[in-house]
Structures are given as C-alpha cells and as structure tokens.
Amino acid sequence: MTEKSRPLRADAARNRARVLQVAYETFAEEGAGVPIDEIARRAGVGAGTVYRHFPTKESLFQAIVADRLRQVVERAREQATTDPGEGLYAFLFQMAEQGATDLGLTEAFAGIGFDLAAALPDAEKEFTGVMTEILAQAQRAGTVRPDLDVADIKTLIVGLQAMRRFRGDSELMRRVYPVIRAGLAAPDSADASPASGTAQTS
C-alpha cells in the first residue's frame, strides 16, 4: 500500500475534516484570498497539518469548490425531476441566493482568480451537463425560450450572484425575479409578461 492510498488515522481524519469545514466557512464569508496560515489558526491546527492534506491553498480551494458543485448538481437534478418546467427557475433563484452566503463559490463561477474548467474539469463538465439538462427540460415544457443556451444561463448566474452578494438585499431578488422570468419565458407562456410573473411570485 502506498503512502497516498493508506487510510488516514482517526486523528488525521478529524484534522482534515476540521480544516475543510473551517476553510469552507472562511472562503464562503471572505473569498479565496484568506491565507493558509489563517485557516490553520481558525481550525486550531498547525499550518503544517493543513499542508500535509492540501499542499497548496489552491488544492484546498479546489476541494471546497468541488464539494459545493456536487451539492449544487444534486439539488438541481432533484428540482428538475420534481417539476421539469420550473426546475430552471428554481435553480437560478437558488444560485442567486447562494451568492449572498458563499463568496468563494461566487468567485469561482465568475473566474476571479480561479479557472473552474482548468482546475476542476470533471466537476465543471458535470455542472454544465446538469444546466444543459434542466434548460432542455424547461424548453420542452414550454416555460423557457427555445433560443437560450447554456452560455446564457452561466452568464445570468454570474450576474445574479454578484447582484445578490454585493447589494445584500433579499428583497431585491423578489423584485427582480419576475422580470427575469418574463425575459426567459417562451413567448406564448403565461410568464411572458412582467405583470404575470409578478403575480406568480407575490
């Protein structure tokens, strides 16, 4: 058995889990700019302990983003299964709200100091795949315009997260959401006018 494949001792496993939890909370609140030494201090371990598990801050950030993306993908699939026509809208609202609580993931999506496709190609491919899937389902259900593609949805996510994060106003999304629905809605759907979208979210 190689050193890399040997199971972690119980104390080492606890330290790793503690580092990941603190790193997640720290990156979510303050972004990826927090140094490893500060994460180690908050986790109550030495910097060497962090480096044994994560040789660079980038590798630690990658682990956090990969885990968050996995959770996002799982929720998106659940939403699309429950209501294919509404899955995309629920997904967009969820991603926008996440911008208020997870600065690290918001920065990763926006490409701020982190190339998601290069650093986590498998996770990025899965995330793009689920967006493609829920967009196609909504288009087949007739609730979303047929001329939209995944690049449009990605751009919208980045913009919504930035707006939600930096305005810090939960009421903002309630006002903006009906307008977004109206813009995305298929021309002959009930949501195609801002007035009908507003009524549905009141």
Side-chain angles (χ1 to χ4, degrees):
M1 182 178 292
T2 65
E3 182 70 24
K4 184 170 288 189
S5 62
R6 184 176 297 124
L8 292 173
R9 300 189 319 270
D11 58 339
R14 284 194 297 271
N15 284 340
R16 186 181 189 278
R18 175 62 179 161
V19 167
L20 281 171
Q21 179 61 33
V22 170
Y24 166 69
E25 294 169 355
T26 302
F27 290 146
E29 183 177 350
E30 301 175 40
V34 181
I36 283 271
D37 287 355
E38 177 59 18
I39 291 171
R41 186 190 68 78
R42 296 182 189 186
V45 301
T49 298
V50 179
Y51 284 116
R52 275 194 294 275
H53 297 293
F54 305 99
T56 65
K57 187 176 74 173
E58 287 71 25
S59 65
L60 176 57
F61 189 59
Q62 285 177 22
I64 299 297
V65 172
D67 182 66
R68 300 306 292 150
L69 278 179
R70 178 186 56 78
Q71 295 178 40
V72 166
V73 166
E74 288 176 357
R75 286 198 302 268
R77 287 191 172 132
E78 289 173 3
Q79 289 166 340
T81 300
T82 302
D83 189 342
E86 289 295 309
L88 179 66
Y89 293 114
F91 174 70
L92 287 173
F93 191 79
Q94 166 200 311
M95 293 301 295
E97 287 303 297
Q98 196 156 20
T101 58
D102 195 338
L103 179 57
L105 190 59
T106 298
E107 290 179 345
F109 280 129
I112 300 174
F114 186 78
D115 186 335
L116 184 59
L120 296 167
D122 292 340
E124 198 275 341
K125 182 177 180 181
E126 187 174 18
F127 178 70
T128 299
V130 79
M131 281 197 298
T132 302
E133 178 184 332
I134 62 177
L135 173 60
Q137 287 179 343
Q139 288 171 329
R140 287 194 296 270
T143 57
V144 173
R145 290 167 44 176
D147 59 335
L148 293 175
D149 60 24
V150 170
D152 299 323
I153 302 304
K154 282 185 176 180
T155 301
L156 187 55
I157 287 171
V158 171
L160 288 173
Q161 287 188 327
M163 178 174 61
R164 181 66 180 88
R165 177 75 190 184
F166 297 109
R167 281 289 301 270
D169 181 3
S170 60
E171 290 299 316
L172 176 67
M173 283 307 300
R174 291 186 177 88
R175 297 193 300 272
V176 171
Y177 188 60
V179 179
I180 293 170
R181 285 194 67 115
L184 296 179
D188 56 350
S189 74
D191 287 322
S193 71
S196 63
T198 302
Q200 289 190 11
T201 56
S202 60

